[in-house]
């Protein structure tokens, strides 16, 4: 149904469209001066009744119904991260509406299952970082105490603390990050 110009001014019912998606967003009246066309982003053709979960989209000539999943919670089956649907249309491949129930999960094609390898890798990475952090902290303390000893300024208490911190640093150095799930971290002196 092609829009027809009129030799008279008139007001007609129009069906407004969202500019970017061309989806129906509401009905309104448009005043049309004689010999002019429709305003931008609208049509005079009524949209169809839309099924739940769909949206009506106008292609310039006809309407079609398209799935609309915007606002639904879906998750990437590779990463488990939420995916935000911003456009009308079918869901992209590689997503599911089932949320992973933990940080170390993998999709098996039907559901989420524990990913023990990923959990172990994360624990090892944390243990490596923690070992580095604790070693640096111990080294800083030891360095300050050694300065006091070398300068002949150390108290008896500082000399004892120096030995305790050196023992602690040795124990930290013996921690194997690969044993991350069973690591027993030594207590720092004075803790």
């Amino acid at each position: 149904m092609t829009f027809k110009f009129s030799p008279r001014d008139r007001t007609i019912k129009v069906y407004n469209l969202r500019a970017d998606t061309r989806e129906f967003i509401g009905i309104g009246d448009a005043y049309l001066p004689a010999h002019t066309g429709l305003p931008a982003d609208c049509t005079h053709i009524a949209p169809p009744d839309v099924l739940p979960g769909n949206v009506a989209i106008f292609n310039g000539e006809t309407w079609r119904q398209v799935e609309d999943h915007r606002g639904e919670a879906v998750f990437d089956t590779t990463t488990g991260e939420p995916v935000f649907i911003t456009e009308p249309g079918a869901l992209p491949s590689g997503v599911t509406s089932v949320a992973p129930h933990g940080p170390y999960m993998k999709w098996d094609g039907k559901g989420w299952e524990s990913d023990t390898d990923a959990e172990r890798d994360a624990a090892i990475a944390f243990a490596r970082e923690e070992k580095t952090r604790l070693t640096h902290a111990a080294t800083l303390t030891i360095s300050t105490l050694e300065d006091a000893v070398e300068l002949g300024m150390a108290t008896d208490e500082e000399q004892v603390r120096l030995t305790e911190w050196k023992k602690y640093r040795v124990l930290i150095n013996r921690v194997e990050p690969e044993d991350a799930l069973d690591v027993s971290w030594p207590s720092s002196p004075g803790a």
Side-chain angles (χ1 to χ4, degrees):
M1 172 190 308
T2 304
F3 178 77
K4 295 186 172 105
F5 289 91
S6 171
R8 302 183 333 264
D9 293 352
R10 61 188 167 148
T11 299
I12 67 167
K13 182 185 292 189
V14 293
Y15 304 92
N16 296 302
L17 310 172
R18 192 169 135 174
D20 58 343
T21 61
R22 310 304 292 162
E23 68 189 276
F24 172 65
I25 57 172
I27 300 172
D29 290 327
Y31 172 75
L32 304 178
H35 306 290
T36 62
L38 293 171
D41 302 322
C42 72
T43 181
H44 66 292
I45 302 169
D49 291 333
V50 179
L51 298 171
N54 286 1
V55 65
I57 294 185
F58 190 69
N59 69 6
E61 295 179 12
T62 60
W63 289 96
R64 64 187 172 99
Q65 288 195 48
V66 175
E67 294 176 46
D68 187 10
H69 297 282
R70 293 173 291 184
E72 293 179 18
V74 294
F75 303 87
D76 186 303
T77 56
T78 303
T79 65
E81 294 294 318
V83 174
F84 299 99
I85 307 299
T86 59
E87 299 290 326
L91 286 173
S93 62
V95 299
T96 178
S97 61
V98 179
H101 50 274
Y104 304 107
M105 306 300 295
K106 63 182 173 183
W107 183 254
D108 68 2
K110 296 178 184 173
W112 295 102
E113 62 182 20
S114 293
D115 188 346
T116 53
D117 291 338
E119 185 173 6
R120 185 174 189 286
D121 291 347
I124 289 171
F126 173 79
R128 284 184 180 132
E129 291 173 12
E130 186 68 358
K131 181 176 180 177
T132 299
R133 185 186 71 77
L134 294 174
T135 300
H136 285 296
T139 299
L140 180 62
T141 302
I142 290 167
S143 177
T144 303
L145 291 170
E146 284 178 338
D147 288 347
V149 169
E150 286 176 19
L151 295 171
M153 299 171 64
T155 64
D156 290 341
E157 179 189 336
E158 288 173 325
Q159 290 179 348
V160 169
R161 284 182 41 222
L162 176 60
T163 301
E164 290 174 356
W165 275 99
K166 285 184 174 184
K167 287 178 186 177
Y168 172 70
R169 185 169 59 179
V170 168
L171 293 174
I172 290 293
N173 190 50
R174 290 181 180 166
V175 169
E176 293 295 330
E178 288 69 27
D179 299 333
L181 299 177
D182 297 318
V183 168
S184 177
W185 295 100
S187 297
S188 66

